[in-house]
Amino acid sequence: MRQFIDRTIGPVRRWDAERGTDLLATLHRFVDCNASPARTARLMGVHSNTVLQRLDRITQLLGDTWRDPESFFRVSVAVRLHILSEALRSSSHPLRRP
């Protein structure tokens, strides 16, 4: 699972870690909003141009085809798995392994 996440959205995670940004949050909201920049902007409470600029950066990191159907499906799964893995790491999460 970790390898899949790293291969799929690792560049975005590394960008965030190196620069203190949160492109992954934008990507997560974009996935939740069925790839609608306008809905993503409304959900995040930012201007749609802000979302478009962040999506441009994500495209630079993941490549031009990340929004193609098959690639977007993989990105969506990786984002959700990443969120799940972070939740499982939390000591208060009921599914955490000892």
Side-chain angles (χ1 to χ4, degrees):
M1 178 174 81
R2 288 183 191 147
Q3 288 177 342
F4 173 75
I5 292 169
D6 192 52
R7 280 194 319 265
T8 309
I9 60 171
V12 175
R13 293 176 61 215
R14 285 187 289 280
W15 177 273
D16 284 347
E18 292 168 2
R19 289 168 179 80
T21 58
D22 202 4
L23 285 178
L24 193 56
T26 301
L27 185 56
H28 175 215
R29 299 301 181 258
F30 187 67
V31 166
D32 283 350
C33 291
N34 297 314
S36 168
R39 279 188 270 165
T40 302
R42 280 193 302 274
L43 179 67
M44 296 182 73
V46 299
H47 195 276
S48 58
N49 286 342
T50 301
V51 170
L52 292 173
Q53 289 171 354
R54 292 176 185 177
L55 293 174
D56 284 345
R57 174 64 65 192
I58 291 168
T59 298
Q60 290 175 0
L61 296 168
L62 299 183
D64 291 334
T65 62
W66 77 271
R67 290 173 75 174
D68 291 351
E70 183 63 30
S71 295
F72 188 72
F73 172 74
R74 289 185 180 134
V75 166
S76 300
V77 170
V79 166
R80 295 184 192 288
L81 285 173
H82 173 70
I83 292 164
L84 178 62
S85 68
E86 291 298 309
L88 289 173
R89 278 193 214 180
S90 169
S91 61
S92 63
H93 196 280
L95 296 178
R96 182 171 182 194
R97 293 182 181 167

